[in-house]
Amino acid sequence: MQRLPAGNDRLLANKTLHAQSLESIRQHAESQAPYAQVFGCADSRVPVEAIFDVDFGDVFVTRTAGNVLSEPTIGTIEYGVAALKTPLIVVLGHQNCGAVKAAVDAMKDPSKTPAGALGALVSALVPAAREAEDRGADIYSAALEAHIRKTVETLQTSPVVSSAVAAGTLRVVGASYDLATAKVTLYR
């Protein structure tokens, strides 16, 4: 739990330790032993390895637009817990998320829900937008936080994840990344 925030602090101080290099890739080619998992958004502006200043092999990363869970995504995260024995999962959302914005817009006007699979992705985020609507604050930030917290709760219902949490070998937390400042804020 200390290593990822420490890496973000190094990034913010412009004192990163892990430059990506061919030598580093080769050192990690045979195996991986990640000490954490990050379930992040697919947004290209949210590079997990840079945000947390980690090396190849340190973090097992799963990404989908808007941090939307599906059975295969949960299976990927369960693999990290069961096979790689990661002791930490961070569900990392980010400010100005296009998927969250689309969900808020669709909540306000259902005709703005996209068609097809993209519409299913947006619809998966609408409950968080509805929850945020009642808070009266910045609806986009509130919807993001509501969705991340719900995603943490959903992951904790997975038998693989819940068993590891109950055994004290796993912790699941939510967090938000600010695109403008590069700061990660953990949700308590």
Side-chain angles (χ1 to χ4, degrees):
M1 195 57 208
Q2 292 82 24
R3 290 171 84 175
L4 293 180
N8 186 242
D9 288 345
R10 286 192 304 274
L11 174 67
L12 295 173
N14 205 23
K15 295 183 178 183
T16 57
L17 300 176
H18 299 287
Q20 308 304 320
S21 69
L22 185 56
E23 178 183 335
S24 186
I25 290 170
R26 289 179 179 148
Q27 288 173 349
H28 295 88
E30 296 301 318
S31 66
Q32 63 175 322
Y35 59 80
Q37 289 192 64
V38 175
F39 174 42
C41 181
D43 191 301
S44 65
R45 301 168 295 172
V46 188
V48 171
E49 292 81 1
I51 290 168
F52 292 114
D53 186 32
V54 296
D55 201 1
F56 292 103
D58 287 347
V59 178
F60 188 69
V61 180
T62 306
R63 295 170 70 160
T64 64
N67 301 81
V68 173
L69 288 171
S70 66
E71 285 291 312
T73 303
I74 293 170
T76 301
I77 293 167
E78 288 176 344
Y79 173 81
V81 174
L84 301 176
K85 308 293 185 211
T86 55
L88 175 66
I89 298 170
V90 176
V91 178
L92 181 67
H94 66 92
Q95 300 300 318
N96 302 317
C97 178
V100 171
K101 182 183 182 319
V104 170
D105 293 347
M107 177 207 57
K108 291 178 180 178
D109 179 358
S111 71
K112 292 187 177 180
T113 303
L118 181 56
L121 182 134
V122 169
S123 294
L125 291 158
V126 169
R130 284 195 189 107
E131 183 180 325
E133 185 178 36
D134 297 335
R135 293 187 189 174
D138 173 2
I139 192 167
Y140 298 103
S141 291
L144 172 68
E145 183 173 348
H147 177 63
I148 295 303
R149 289 185 185 279
K150 181 63 177 167
T151 302
V152 167
E153 289 174 18
T154 300
L155 285 174
Q156 290 174 329
T157 66
S158 149
V160 172
V161 173
S162 65
S163 293
V165 169
T169 60
L170 177 67
R171 186 168 175 202
V172 184
V173 300
S176 177
Y177 173 68
D178 188 309
L179 294 172
T181 67
K183 180 161 180 52
V184 173
T185 302
L186 293 174
Y187 296 143
R188 304 284 177 186

